[in-house]
Amino acid sequence: MDKNFHQKPITFVGEVSLNVLDLNKAILFYQEIIGLQVLKKTDRLAVLTTDGKTPLLTLEQPADVIPKEGRTTGLYHFALLLPSRADLSIFLRHLLQTKYPFGAADHEVSEALYITDPDGNGIEVYTDRPSTVWRWAGGEVAMGTDPLDGNDLLEESDGEWSKLPAGTLMGHIHLHVADLRKTEEFYMQGLGFTVVNRYGGALFTSTGGYHHHIGLNTWNGVGAPAPKENSVGLNWYTLVFADEDARNKVTEQLQGIGAAVTEKEGFFAVTDPSGNEIHLVV
């Protein structure tokens, strides 16, 4: 894993927050199947980590929570990036041993496993191929969805699974949106991301030449409504900026395209045109 794509001065996704129906059931899944650890817990909220100090995923159970709504905007999946292919090999063996259902794909730039949590939230666990073998042409990176060679991946390591390695990062997030044109304006002109791939009703965007930090698609239908606030699914995600100046520049850009930026305690919040909430942090 090349950490340069997920550290300053690049802007990257840091943490994701989800609503769940049953907090304790969700914690059990994320500990036993995914391999995260509890950093902090209250009656209705749990912060999960891999290194014992950095929040990676926050789970929240609203008092009036309702099940995940279909055909809305919001989370398609969040993606945990493992430090090495050997780590993905170990994780694949773990999924096979637990018999938890999963999908798999070779995306050329990466190898990925796909899981759905008990509430219907999508999760990708993946590892990148070296950026030196990514194929770029005309400012776009070649990505596909090919079958994963699971046997070859399993041969990468015979290590025993215990939990996700401490170096695991939030590699990217992929969102359902209502309108690609408005979405592109918001993420490019407002947040300062670059489109690095266009593919079947989806945009893949990044900073610093990564294959994608944020995926955006209309696969739930053009004009899909935003889910209710108390629905299972995405609460918010964070974008981590290099410094205050970088964040202030983006805040001005967002205001310049008419987006409302709200100052909160320690961060700024903005909502994309499809209702996905983003916390801008330093």
Side-chain angles (χ1 to χ4, degrees):
M1 174 174 71
D2 186 342
K3 285 191 174 179
N4 290 334
F5 294 115
H6 296 86
Q7 64 184 21
K8 299 169 182 182
I10 283 175
T11 303
F12 56 93
V13 180
E15 182 185 357
V16 169
S17 171
L18 303 176
N19 277 343
V20 296
L21 280 176
D22 183 321
L23 183 61
N24 290 324
K25 183 179 177 183
I27 290 170
L28 199 62
F29 165 82
Y30 279 102
Q31 285 178 314
E32 295 190 352
I33 301 298
I34 303 299
L36 291 163
Q37 307 154 51
V38 176
L39 181 64
K40 184 174 76 176
K41 182 181 183 298
T42 63
D43 285 350
R44 296 201 169 270
L45 184 141
V47 181
L48 307 181
T49 182
T50 57
D51 63 5
K53 57 184 180 183
T54 310
L56 209 57
L57 182 69
T58 293
L59 305 173
E60 193 166 344
Q61 182 186 328
D64 55 350
V65 67
I66 60 172
K68 188 175 178 66
E69 298 176 277
R71 313 297 287 177
T72 63
T73 61
L75 185 73
Y76 179 51
H77 63 243
F78 66 88
L80 298 168
L81 175 57
L82 303 185
S84 72
R85 191 169 190 257
D87 295 316
L88 192 65
S89 174
I90 292 166
F91 187 73
L92 172 57
R93 187 172 292 105
H94 160 65
L95 289 180
L96 292 168
Q97 288 169 346
T98 60
K99 295 184 169 57
Y100 197 87
F102 68 94
D106 185 327
H107 295 304
E108 296 186 43
V109 294
S110 63
E111 294 173 287
L113 303 172
Y114 291 94
I115 308 148
T116 303
D117 80 2
D119 290 303
N121 296 306
I123 307 158
E124 176 181 343
V125 179
Y126 76 111
T127 187
D128 280 332
R129 287 203 167 93
S131 57
T132 50
V133 304
W134 301 351
R135 295 183 296 115
W136 291 84
E140 290 209 0
V141 63
M143 293 194 289
T145 302
D146 301 315
L148 180 75
D149 189 338
N151 290 328
D152 183 70
L153 180 56
L154 287 170
E155 287 174 8
E156 186 76 21
S157 174
D158 59 3
E160 284 294 310
W161 187 88
S162 61
K163 59 188 178 183
L164 286 181
T168 300
L169 302 170
M170 189 63 69
H172 65 265
I173 193 167
H174 194 150
L175 303 170
H176 290 295
V177 296
D179 180 296
L180 283 185
R181 188 188 59 78
K182 288 180 185 172
T183 296
E184 184 168 349
E185 179 192 44
F186 178 87
Y187 283 89
M188 306 317 113
Q189 296 177 32
L191 287 174
F193 278 68
T194 300
V195 174
V196 291
N197 187 281
R198 296 174 191 271
Y199 166 93
L203 301 172
F204 295 89
T205 73
S206 74
T207 65
Y210 191 48
H211 58 70
H212 69 294
H213 291 105
I214 305 173
L216 304 147
N217 74 67
T218 52
W219 300 337
N220 269 351
V222 173
K228 295 182 181 70
E229 271 191 39
N230 58 334
S231 164
V232 159
L234 181 69
N235 264 330
W236 48 261
Y237 71 94
T238 66
L239 284 178
V240 184
F241 290 86
D243 51 37
E244 294 279 0
D245 288 345
R247 183 172 65 177
N248 289 342
K249 179 187 174 187
V250 162
T251 299
E252 288 171 12
Q253 288 172 185
L254 287 164
Q255 290 166 337
I257 62 166
V261 181
T262 310
E263 188 168 358
K264 307 264 180 133
E265 196 174 326
F267 64 90
F268 290 87
V270 67
T271 301
D272 79 6
S274 301
N276 298 304
E277 185 175 331
I278 307 159
H279 294 178
L280 313 176
V281 304
V282 175

